[in-house]
Amino acid sequence: MYKILVIVGALLIAIPQVHAEPLELKHFLEKAATSNSSLKAAAREQAIALEQEGVARSGHLPRIDAQGGYQAQLDPQAVEFNGLALPTQDADFPFFSLSIYQTLYDFGRTRYRTESARLQTDAVKGLYRASEQDVFLQVVRAYYGILEGGKVVQAAKDELDQMLSHQRVAKALYEEGVVTRNDLLQAEVRVAASRQKLLAAQNAVQNGWLLLNYLAGYPPDFRGELREGTETAALPSPAAPVDFSGRGELVALQDTVKADELTVKELKTGWYPEFFLKLSADYVSNSAVTEQTIMAATAGFRVNLFDGFATTSRLRAAVAARSRDEDRVRDLKERLSLELATARNDMAVAQERIKVSETAIQQGVENLRITKDRYQEKVGTATEVVDAQTLLTQTRTDYYRSVFDLEVAAARVKRAMGQL
């Protein structure tokens, strides 16, 4: 009894999880937005950028340092007076110091650094949006790929049924001595080829589900019925003005250029002084003096006079980085225009392919009917029947592919414009 329960349990585990109600594309997009593993990792980048922004803002706040310890010396420090050594401190003593350092004015260095960090945070947010839309487009491809695969499976099943029917006819005619054994062998080979095609189509659907489940954060064995309704938008006019402000990667790169400009300004202040205020309290246990705690306030400035041309090199590198990112912005705008134009062309061609395929399917069905009748009347050949069925299957496959290619092309148009 126990073994039976184990076997039944194993079979239940092997059964794919099936969702009862039909699932729409919107469902998978929403699920991917919250559960996709790559987007979760990208979200961490935003948290990191925010903390880096906090590091930059810390320059506006005072710096407080504390130090303490216990020092043991071989001999105490002393001074010689009239031939006598007079100790000026104890041999062993504890010490403690506290200092508060506040920058008063640094010619905008901290302000530039803070604003640059804020822009970098905005850039990371833009990159996250770009990653999200990339994932959404992959979800669209996977979703319609499964729907297309399901139609191809059905077309392959229809072809297999037709080939089995043709095989039975060929066998009957062969037994009557009307056709040669070659017709029967050809029919059997075509049945085997149709079975292979059906298996390949079914495998493509299963692989499509694996990809869609990964993108949406579902377990690999999740399955469901996909709603076949299409939501194709109207083909946008090429003359209409294009706004790429919704493209996260472009926004991110533009923010990076602005941050580069602030970095250049920050590095230019490296040759200017920094004015500061410092409050300190230093305690040293010393029985040789009357005042063991020294409290002081210092207002001053500091400036680097020479650092081996490091500041100069950093400034030149920042200027070069700014120019590089400006070139990247121009290149990205051109690539986005190319991406949009390509998606528009593919969408227009898919619409035309659908019209052509719809007519071709009707012609293919009629062609197969006539060819089968001719063969049964011993006028046509087996090769003509096989070719007619193969042509009809290919025409149906082309139609289904055109329908779902149109949906994917429409999604690519939205993606190109940052509206997916």
Side-chain angles (χ1 to χ4, degrees), residues 49-363:
L50 286 172
E51 296 304 325
Q52 293 295 333
E53 187 177 343
V55 172
R57 285 197 303 267
S58 66
H60 294 293
L61 302 175
R63 177 187 175 95
I64 303 175
D65 293 309
Q67 183 180 5
Y70 187 87
Q71 184 168 326
Q73 302 177 124
L74 184 61
D75 295 306
Q77 189 177 38
V79 297
E80 188 173 337
F81 183 74
N82 292 333
L84 297 176
L86 302 178
T88 60
Q89 63 176 195
D90 298 331
D92 306 324
F93 57 89
F95 65 90
F96 179 81
S97 64
L98 177 68
S99 64
I100 302 175
Y101 184 97
Q102 175 64 59
T103 300
L104 298 178
Y105 185 68
D106 58 4
F107 292 89
R109 186 178 306 139
T110 302
R111 177 168 54 84
Y112 294 143
R113 188 182 300 121
T114 302
E115 184 62 19
S116 176
R118 186 191 64 78
L119 287 170
Q120 291 293 349
T121 301
D122 292 342
V124 170
K125 292 179 181 178
L127 291 176
Y128 177 83
R129 175 59 178 158
S131 299
E132 187 179 53
Q133 293 216 338
D134 284 341
V135 170
F136 286 173
L137 183 57
Q138 294 179 60
V139 169
V140 171
R141 291 182 184 275
Y143 181 89
Y144 286 116
I146 294 173
L147 287 175
E148 176 188 327
K151 296 296 185 180
V152 172
V153 166
Q154 186 58 51
K157 288 181 178 178
D158 293 341
E159 177 181 306
L160 179 58
D161 292 340
Q162 291 291 341
M163 290 301 176
L164 288 171
S165 175
H166 172 64
Q167 182 188 28
R168 289 191 293 270
V169 172
K171 183 177 181 181
L173 294 176
Y174 171 71
E175 291 175 348
E176 294 175 5
V178 177
V179 298
T180 64
R181 180 172 171 75
N182 183 66
D183 280 16
L184 179 57
L185 292 175
Q186 185 186 56
E188 291 174 346
V189 170
R190 292 305 304 178
V191 167
S194 296
R195 292 188 191 278
Q196 294 273 7
K197 186 181 296 184
L198 176 58
L199 289 172
Q202 290 172 335
N203 183 61
V205 172
Q206 294 304 316
N207 288 340
W209 270 109
L210 291 175
L211 176 59
L212 183 59
N213 289 338
Y214 162 74
L215 294 171
Y218 278 118
D221 60 348
F222 176 81
R223 296 293 184 272
E225 179 186 353
L226 303 186
R227 191 177 298 277
E228 296 187 10
T230 57
E231 302 176 359
T232 306
L235 182 65
S237 171
V242 180
D243 180 15
F244 291 118
S245 61
R247 288 298 295 256
E249 55 268 62
L250 178 60
V251 174
L253 202 48
Q254 290 172 335
D255 286 336
T256 300
V257 171
K258 295 176 183 177
D260 291 339
E261 179 63 31
L262 291 171
T263 300
V264 171
K265 292 181 178 180
E266 175 196 344
L267 291 172
K268 285 182 178 179
T269 65
W271 289 297
Y272 303 151
E274 175 184 310
F275 296 91
F276 66 89
L277 175 65
K278 180 180 180 182
L279 303 176
S280 62
D282 297 287
Y283 166 78
V284 176
S285 179
N286 189 352
S287 60
V289 297
T290 58
E291 184 58 54
Q292 300 185 66
T293 301
I294 305 298
M295 303 184 67
T298 304
F301 74 94
R302 64 179 181 179
V303 61
N304 175 260
L305 299 178
F306 182 71
D307 60 0
F309 302 106
T311 299
T312 301
S313 296
R314 292 192 189 99
L315 178 59
R316 290 175 179 173
V319 172
R322 180 186 59 188
S323 300
R324 175 203 62 195
D325 291 335
E326 289 173 343
D327 291 337
R328 286 178 174 175
V329 168
R330 287 188 288 269
D331 176 67
L332 180 57
K333 288 181 177 180
E334 293 177 0
R335 286 193 287 113
L336 294 181
S337 298
L338 174 61
E339 179 182 334
L340 177 59
T342 302
R344 279 173 169 169
N345 290 341
D346 291 346
M347 190 173 174
V349 171
Q351 290 175 335
E352 294 301 320
R353 286 167 54 200
I354 291 174
K355 296 178 183 178
V356 173
S357 299
E358 287 174 341
T359 303
I361 288 176
Q362 298 175 1
Q363 296 170 340

